[in-house]
Amino acid sequence: MILSKATISLLCLLLLLSIFMANLLNIIATDHNFYIENKNAGMNHTKRLNDKYGQIGDSTKNIIWFLQISDIHISIFRDPGRISQFQQFCDSTVRRIKPSLVLATGDLTDAKAKDNLGSSQVKKEWIYYHNIIKESGVTDETVWLDIRGNHDNFNIKTLNSQENYFRNYSVQGVYHSKSYVHIENKNGVKVAFLGIDACPEPGLRRPFNFIGILDLQEQQTLQKLKSEADTKADHIIWFGHYPTSCILSLKRDTQRFDLRELMGSSQASQVYVCGHLHAMGGLVPRMYTKQRKGFLELELGDWKDNRMFRLAAIDHGIFSFVDQKHSTWPLVLVTNPKHARYAMAGREPLQLIAESTHIRILAFSDVEIETVKISFDKESWLKCRVAGGPLYVCQWLPHLFRVGLHYMYVTVTDEVGKEVVLEHPFSLDGSLINFEVTPRILLMLDAGAVFQAIFATLLLANVIPLLLLRLQKRPPRYRRKFGSHVLRRIWLLSKIDRIFYPIVLYALYTPFGPWAIGELIDGYTGVIFAWGIIIKDSYLPEPFTYMYGSVQLMFVQLPLVFVLAYCLETRVFSPTVRGIKRLIKNVPFIFLLSIQFLLAYFFWLEYGTMAFIFGPLRTWSIFLSILLWYKIWTLPPEYCRKLSNLNDLPS
């Protein structure tokens, strides 16, 4: 049986798709053999924790809890509720929960202009942040660990620039200009909180400030901080603004620094908490995964729009957390038994759960807690008692739950009747619940590589079909009439030298030539390329440029081919069309031109007049589109007849 070309093409496509999916699933796999590969180290680490903490009972010792807040985006131009409710968080929430410390993981201020496109540090926003923390007295009762995000780095020439207000108006900026470690030794638990500042230097204005960069100096700093944390603490909590998928490490010699490898190389590392992605606008509210090295990575939804914060605890060496919306009470966190999805074999003494005597629950409210009850069947309920502070305990018989996945139900009621009911899955034999696919993709892939792949795909989609159609001597065929009609028009377009060469050469220009020359930082002129940015005698390999170029290829370059082919059809086959009918025929081009003007206008607001004038990507493409459109409508009549004859050739 002889296979047709279409069948062979389909089989090849399916094969490539299968290979792609297999590689993707391998990258985002969480059921890896990390613990088996590091069994001895894991056993030694957990045995030491077992010996230190002993049995999990009803004692208030060996437990600490802390809070995280991220992407506050204090702004003087929009949403004053961010400021007033952040004041409430410091005045009320933190005082009520009494955490050992608070992690503020970047984007402390908004640093965006009134038009929402321009970006620069706004001193008044930093003063608001500073005064709220100072006047609330929160730092008198707890440790406040803040670190910079990309918004806190907009338009900053150097760390020592006057505009780097983090140095003077944050809590930790006075002591730490970038990454640092804080050792917390409290209530029998020794934890190192290691902050990662991946803000690039210099800090560009938006949008080319989306990916974090670790230069060689910062890589060395992190290695030293990690060694210090290993020496002084039993547990390491890593925190920063950018997810690891959005951090690029510059190469040292021929070897690239691997941040996830560094985090995972210590058995004490339990979790990396971050922000930045804003839960993808609320579409991915539980952006959690377990990295291949066996530690958790947990992105926290933003304060900016969603008013989210996180409560986390380490109880007898076991890490637990819950994310909560501001002013939503009661707040409940089960610390024993641990949630089955987030168990970290080899990093936590999980065997203590099976030997424990008591269920342990942290419960908070803005008023007094009245009752805390638990059940395993939703029918018979056991009342928990107060062990001390917010810790509630209840005796249980863990041997009844040794095999498989089980569910515990918790009901907490406060004195004014507010109630929360939660379902808590747990297991004592290592049975796990899978992480959702979307968070794994967002947190486990390399964002820079994804941006490059999208750009390369769109570039090929703009060039290869035109080249193939130009090489084809007869009109292409397609089963569906509409598809065949469109293909024939693009085929005719590819035969016109004055149209074909400018379109293809402009597309090929995008990965190589400069996109814009302008003042990317106040007082400093830089050049933007697809592969990075050159400014201030520095090269920034900012991968977000690929995504920026992808927008041009997807919404300008590709539609331009179809629009010109549509105009060509009218010019060749309906040359007598005039007046209002011709105007209607040009509506798609007018719409496309409007998009180009809008993109160029946004670019002008972001980077100024110089970048607008010397901007081949955004501004000059407008003139190219107009020129090609003009060439279509002014094709000589004899040339139109030649194209019409070509179209009449049999397929």
Side-chain angles (χ1 to χ4, degrees):
M1 177 180 173
I2 300 175
L3 297 176
S4 66
K5 289 182 180 179
T7 304
I8 294 173
S9 300
L10 180 60
L11 290 174
C12 290
L13 181 63
L14 290 174
L15 178 61
L16 291 173
L17 185 60
S18 299
I19 294 171
F20 169 77
M21 289 302 299
N23 286 326
L24 176 63
L25 292 174
N26 182 55
I27 292 171
I28 66 171
T30 56
D31 57 343
H32 40 72
N33 294 323
F34 169 79
Y35 176 63
I36 296 174
E37 294 167 0
N38 300 269
K39 190 171 184 178
N40 289 335
M43 288 178 65
N44 291 335
H45 176 69
T46 54
K47 184 179 184 305
R48 186 171 62 81
L49 295 180
N50 283 347
D51 296 339
K52 175 181 177 178
Y53 293 124
Q55 191 178 55
I56 301 177
D58 59 356
S59 170
T60 57
K61 281 193 166 296
N62 299 325
I63 181 172
I64 68 166
W65 56 92
F66 59 93
L67 297 178
Q68 181 196 357
I69 185 172
S70 192
D71 297 273
I72 305 169
H73 287 264
I74 287 176
S75 172
I76 62 172
F77 299 114
R78 53 192 63 84
D79 191 6
R82 294 180 205 169
I83 298 175
S84 60
Q85 289 181 299
F86 178 58
Q87 178 90 55
Q88 293 171 15
F89 175 80
C90 294
D91 283 340
S92 178
T93 304
V94 178
R95 288 180 186 277
R96 196 72 191 175
I97 296 175
K98 294 183 174 64
S100 296
L101 49 79
V102 178
L103 304 176
T105 52
D107 281 1
L108 310 175
T109 65
D110 198 42
K112 288 168 70 174
K114 195 171 185 178
D115 58 26
N116 211 29
L117 289 168
S119 54
S120 191
Q121 298 304 306
V122 181
K123 188 175 182 179
K124 193 173 181 181
E125 294 175 350
W126 282 100
I127 292 173
Y128 270 118
Y129 175 76
H130 176 269
N131 288 346
I132 288 172
I133 292 174
K134 183 179 178 181
E135 292 170 7
S136 68
V138 66
T139 52
D140 298 332
E141 301 176 2
T142 188
V143 178
W144 189 280
L145 302 181
D146 46 20
I147 203 158
R148 296 188 303 162
N150 58 313
H151 281 248
D152 307 316
N153 193 42
F154 284 157
N155 200 31
I156 292 180
K157 304 177 187 71
T158 67
L159 279 173
N160 297 320
S161 296
Q162 183 180 352
E163 295 79 16
N164 184 15
Y165 298 122
F166 180 82
R167 294 186 308 155
N168 302 317
Y169 292 97
S170 69
V171 177
Q172 296 299 324
V174 179
Y175 312 104
H176 310 289
S177 58
K178 293 205 76 176
S179 303
Y180 62 92
V181 65
H182 169 82
I183 308 297
E184 186 75 6
N185 188 356
K186 188 174 182 180
N187 202 26
V189 184
K190 292 165 65 175
V191 188
F193 290 88
L194 204 164
I196 300 174
D197 186 329
C199 292
E201 186 178 354
L204 304 177
R205 295 204 291 258
R206 65 187 301 272
F208 300 122
N209 201 335
F210 183 79
I211 299 292
I213 298 176
L214 293 175
D215 58 25
L216 302 184
Q217 182 180 343
E218 203 62 20
Q219 293 170 23
Q220 293 172 351
T221 299
L222 288 175
Q223 289 172 329
K224 291 177 183 176
L225 293 175
K226 183 253 181 186
S227 297
E228 180 185 349
D230 266 335
T231 304
K232 296 181 179 179
D234 298 313
H235 315 281
I236 303 176
I237 304 295
W238 300 74
F239 69 97
H241 180 67
Y242 303 90
T244 57
S245 59
C246 296
I247 297 178
L248 173 67
S249 300
L250 300 184
K251 282 186 179 180
R252 180 189 300 173
D253 300 324
T254 58
Q255 199 171 18
R256 187 179 291 280
F257 174 83
D258 190 331
L259 179 60
R260 292 170 183 161
E261 178 74 33
L262 179 69
M263 291 180 178
S265 63
S266 171
Q267 300 294 140
S269 296
Q270 292 189 321
V271 63
Y272 174 62
V273 296
C274 58
H276 189 49
L277 297 181
H278 294 246
M280 298 305 289
L283 298 175
V284 191
R286 294 175 297 279
M287 200 181 296
Y288 319 134
T289 193
K290 185 189 291 180
Q291 292 290 355
R292 296 181 68 84
K293 290 298 176 180
F295 63 90
L296 295 174
E297 180 164 349
L298 311 173
E299 197 263 1
L300 173 63
D302 60 275
W303 180 268
K304 174 188 173 185
D305 296 317
N306 295 302
R307 306 294 192 268
M308 298 298 295
F309 70 94
R310 172 174 291 151
L311 169 67
I314 298 176
D315 188 0
H316 289 74
I318 298 171
F319 174 84
S320 302
F321 76 98
V322 64
D323 292 351
Q324 187 92 337
K325 201 171 183 68
H326 177 62
S327 292
T328 303
W329 301 99
L331 171 60
V332 182
L333 175 60
V334 178
T335 64
N336 186 62
K338 176 167 180 165
H339 195 294
R341 175 175 286 145
Y342 309 114
M344 293 175 281
R347 298 187 179 276
E348 304 172 297
L350 297 175
Q351 54 270 43
L352 289 180
I353 300 174
E355 300 166 0
S356 63
T357 59
H358 288 75
I359 291 166
R360 294 163 67 87
I361 300 169
L362 291 173
F364 306 88
S365 186
D366 55 345
V367 294
E368 293 300 315
I369 296 291
E370 189 171 87
T371 60
V372 176
K373 298 184 295 182
I374 63 105
S375 173
F376 297 101
D377 57 10
K378 286 189 176 181
E379 293 180 3
S380 54
W381 292 85
L382 299 173
K383 188 174 181 179
C384 300
R385 63 178 177 84
V386 180
L391 180 63
Y392 289 77
V393 298
C394 181
Q395 282 188 313
W396 76 319
L397 300 173
H399 68 271
L400 298 177
F401 308 95
R402 286 196 179 277
V403 179
L405 190 66
H406 303 275
Y407 290 86
M408 181 173 73
Y409 305 93
V410 181
T411 299
V412 177
T413 309
D414 64 22
E415 64 181 7
V416 297
K418 294 194 294 290
E419 181 180 87
V420 63
V421 180
L422 63 89
E423 181 182 81
H424 183 79
F426 68 95
S427 71
L428 305 183
D429 65 351
S431 299
L432 297 174
I433 301 175
N434 290 329
F435 287 86
E436 296 170 16
V437 173
T438 304
R440 286 155 55 191
I441 291 174
L442 292 169
L443 297 177
M444 298 181 77
L445 293 181
D446 181 340
V450 172
F451 295 160
Q452 289 180 41
I454 293 172
F455 180 79
T457 302
L458 289 171
L459 182 64
L460 292 174
N462 275 274
V463 174
I464 299 298
L466 280 175
L467 288 174
L468 293 177
L469 287 172
R470 184 175 174 85
L471 294 173
Q472 193 164 337
K473 294 181 179 180
R474 293 182 177 275
R477 286 188 305 171
Y478 191 71
R479 292 180 182 178
R480 295 188 180 276
K481 186 176 180 180
F482 177 76
S484 181
H485 179 82
V486 171
L487 274 178
R488 277 174 173 260
R489 298 302 173 255
I490 298 175
W491 175 73
L492 284 177
L493 188 75
S494 71
K495 300 299 182 183
I496 307 174
D497 291 350
R498 68 190 73 180
I499 304 297
F500 172 80
Y501 285 112
I503 287 179
V504 171
L505 290 175
Y506 183 78
L508 293 175
Y509 170 85
T510 55
F512 303 108
W515 290 357
I517 301 171
E519 200 172 88
L520 308 183
I521 302 174
D522 287 347
Y524 289 95
T525 300
V527 185
I528 302 171
F529 295 88
W531 36 267
I533 295 167
I534 298 174
I535 185 172
K536 197 174 166 284
D537 300 324
S538 300
Y539 165 61
L540 293 177
E542 168 61 68
F544 191 71
T545 50
Y546 288 106
M547 206 62 194
Y548 203 75
S550 296
V551 171
Q552 185 77 12
L553 293 173
M554 180 70 182
F555 296 104
V556 176
Q557 188 77 5
L558 199 59
L560 180 63
V561 174
F562 290 94
V563 169
L564 292 177
Y566 178 71
C567 292
L568 178 65
E569 178 183 21
T570 305
R571 175 67 184 130
V572 173
F573 302 106
S574 304
T576 58
V577 170
R578 293 288 185 273
I580 191 68
K581 288 185 178 180
R582 176 170 283 196
L583 178 64
I584 293 172
K585 289 287 185 180
N586 281 301
V587 165
F589 178 75
I590 295 170
F591 179 72
L592 178 62
L593 205 62
S594 301
I595 293 175
Q596 289 185 263
F597 273 112
L598 194 63
L599 291 174
Y601 173 66
F602 288 163
F603 193 71
W604 174 61
L605 291 177
E606 289 161 352
Y607 289 119
T609 304
M610 182 190 295
F612 178 81
I613 295 172
F614 299 103
L617 184 74
R618 289 288 195 251
T619 310
W620 294 7
S621 67
I622 296 173
F623 299 107
L624 177 65
S625 298
I626 294 172
L627 177 64
L628 296 178
W629 171 81
Y630 176 78
K631 285 179 177 293
I632 289 288
W633 285 107
T634 56
L635 283 174
E638 61 273 14
Y639 202 99
C640 292
R641 284 192 292 272
K642 179 182 174 182
L643 292 173
S644 180
N645 292 334
L646 275 177
N647 184 68
D648 292 336
L649 290 173
S651 299

